[in-house]
Amino acid sequence: MAEHKDIEAVADRVRAAHDFLHIDDVAEELAALDEEVARPDFWDDPAHAQAVSKRASVLRDTIAEYDQARAMLDDFAAAMELAAEDEDFAAEADDAFSALVAFLDKLEVSSWFSDRFDAGDAIMTINPGSGGLEAQDWTEMLYRMYTRYVESKGWKLKVLDVVPGEGIGLDKAVLQVEGRNAFGMLKSESGVHRLVRISPTDDKKRRHTTFAGVEVLPVLPDDIEIDVNPADLRIDVYRSSGPGGQCVNTTDSAVRITHLPTGIVVTCQNEKSQLQNKEAAMRVLKSKLYELEEQKRAEELAELRGERMDNSFGSQIRNYVLYPYQMVKDLRSGVETGNVDAVLDGDLDEFVIGYHRWRVSS
């Protein structure tokens, strides 16, 4: 059974949660937002109102989670008192202790996501690398893995663009993931994913190695303004090639936007109308342009400081081996497992959290 000292240890962790969750600051900010929401003209600017409401909801969730940790601590203490008088309650005390420790672990993980856009939504793009049909098939496998992972987290998934490959697989997939800490969590997935297996398209059943690249960008909040000159854009419309509703496949609703100065091309074809596809494509373009500017600033600062910049995106981050043995290993954190099927079915928390634990400790 959990010892008395465990009460003091977890009580210290609950008190620490008050500090690393910045509960006093959160409560003060929430009070200010509630005053703003109460103003009669609050909904005159719907976009701003929606952003404020979303932020207030995140702050309420933070306070509610801290309150839940305190309540679970009280439950554990009560269970310990009962167990001291009657051993039949020992299992209940152990269960309460395990539940509280797991919940505190979850809160501590959330505290890692403190960068500007970590708490917000993410845009994930999956592209095949070298390997032809194999790479397209691998892209579809990753697409399935991430959609399953998003479902398991209770996040909302919006498919912006899915381009079928020639024969099998996908030539590209663009997803918008909406949920608390979605961008912060999914940053772990940016980079090149390597697959080793017996090729299903090889008649001689030889072992093949193939690659796919994953890019994760933040969905920029409304208070971030990215000026895009319309003269710098070439906008093409075409008929959707992917699965969709009746209107999607019978009208020129798909949109391709080319940013001429940078050569960045974004497409969206899974919304119901051309206007919705254009808005979604512009959202992705602005995120890419913002990321490009941030990268330039980082390189300029590194040059001034005489530092050498590593190109993190584009580097191999994880191996998925299906033959001659089964293993998934993250090359940064060292996390590995032999349960490849579970990982490809969306069981990714061990790798996502393992990466961030490695990042924070580094």
Side-chain angles (χ1 to χ4, degrees):
M1 189 185 77
E3 300 291 339
H4 177 74
K5 63 181 180 181
D6 289 329
I7 295 181
E8 294 304 320
V10 292
D12 286 342
R13 291 186 66 186
V14 171
R15 285 189 287 270
H18 181 278
D19 295 333
F20 68 66
L21 292 174
H22 307 289
I23 293 300
D24 292 339
D25 293 339
V26 166
E28 184 178 343
E29 183 182 355
L30 180 59
L33 293 181
D34 284 341
E35 287 183 10
E36 185 176 353
V37 171
R39 292 205 304 257
D41 61 347
F42 175 68
W43 286 101
D44 289 352
D45 184 348
H48 175 72
Q50 191 172 19
V52 169
S53 298
K54 188 173 183 178
R55 175 62 179 166
S57 178
V58 169
L59 298 176
R60 284 193 185 88
D61 286 345
T62 300
I63 293 174
E65 286 177 338
Y66 173 67
D67 289 343
Q68 183 177 344
R70 293 175 60 192
M72 292 175 74
L73 177 62
D74 291 342
D75 290 343
F76 172 53
M80 286 292 291
E81 289 180 6
L82 292 172
E85 298 176 1
D86 187 341
E87 290 187 0
D88 290 341
F89 289 98
E92 182 178 337
D94 284 340
D95 289 344
F97 175 72
S98 298
L100 176 56
V101 168
F103 189 74
L104 289 170
D105 287 344
K106 176 184 172 184
L107 288 187
E108 288 174 4
V109 168
S110 294
S111 73
W112 297 341
F113 306 118
S114 57
D115 288 348
R116 187 175 188 183
F117 304 121
D118 280 356
D121 304 333
I123 295 170
M124 173 178 279
T125 302
I126 312 168
N127 287 302
S130 59
L133 293 177
E134 283 288 308
Q136 291 178 174
D137 190 42
W138 178 219
T139 297
E140 184 169 29
M141 292 169 66
L142 289 174
Y143 169 75
R144 178 182 180 275
M145 180 181 78
Y146 288 124
T147 55
R148 292 292 182 90
Y149 180 63
V150 169
E151 290 170 1
S152 73
K153 302 299 291 184
W155 294 335
K156 181 180 178 182
L157 178 68
K158 184 182 292 185
V159 179
L160 300 181
D161 196 13
V162 171
V163 180
E166 295 182 8
I168 63 172
L170 299 176
D171 197 44
K172 182 173 68 172
V174 184
L175 316 173
Q176 182 169 316
V177 182
E178 301 174 1
R180 185 179 177 188
N181 293 330
F183 176 65
M185 292 278 280
L186 291 174
K187 284 194 298 188
S188 65
E189 302 308 292
S190 280
V192 173
H193 297 246
R194 174 176 176 260
L195 174 68
V196 180
R197 64 172 175 172
I198 296 296
S199 169
T201 63
D202 188 336
D203 293 337
K204 296 182 180 179
K205 302 300 179 184
R206 290 170 294 190
R207 185 175 65 182
H208 282 237
T209 299
T210 189
F211 302 87
V214 175
E215 179 187 55
V216 181
L217 299 174
V219 175
L220 299 179
D222 293 331
D223 60 347
I224 300 290
E225 294 187 6
I226 305 295
D227 292 326
V228 180
N229 187 346
D232 290 338
L233 302 179
R234 186 176 71 237
I235 301 176
D236 302 305
V237 296
Y238 58 99
R239 187 160 298 181
S240 170
S241 60
Q246 183 178 358
C247 293
V248 171
N249 287 316
T250 60
T251 63
D252 291 337
S253 59
V255 173
R256 179 189 302 110
I257 300 178
T258 304
H259 186 250
L260 300 174
T262 61
I264 293 174
V265 179
V266 295
T267 58
C268 185
Q269 60 176 327
N270 277 48
E271 298 289 357
K272 292 182 179 179
S273 71
Q274 186 182 118
L275 178 61
Q276 289 174 314
N277 279 322
K278 182 180 177 182
E279 290 175 347
M282 283 298 298
R283 193 160 56 243
V284 176
L285 175 62
K286 289 180 178 180
S287 291
K288 285 180 176 287
L289 291 174
Y290 183 88
E291 186 74 6
L292 186 62
E293 287 302 312
E294 289 295 294
Q295 185 176 346
K296 286 180 180 177
R297 290 192 189 101
E299 290 172 351
E300 289 170 359
L301 285 173
E303 187 175 346
L304 290 171
R305 294 169 180 161
E307 299 172 357
R308 180 178 176 180
M309 289 288 292
D310 292 327
N311 182 12
S312 59
F313 178 72
S315 61
Q316 188 174 311
I317 64 166
R318 194 175 300 148
N319 289 331
Y320 305 73
V321 182
L322 277 63
Y323 181 87
Y325 52 89
Q326 294 210 333
M327 182 183 72
V328 180
K329 181 172 183 177
D330 194 287
L331 303 180
R332 303 155 302 177
S333 66
V335 173
E336 64 179 75
T337 180
N339 194 350
V340 177
D341 290 340
V343 173
L344 293 177
D345 202 36
D347 187 3
L348 282 175
D349 257 348
E350 182 180 5
F351 288 91
V352 172
I353 294 173
Y355 163 79
H356 287 292
R357 181 176 287 113
W358 166 81
R359 176 181 60 84
V360 171
S361 65
S362 299

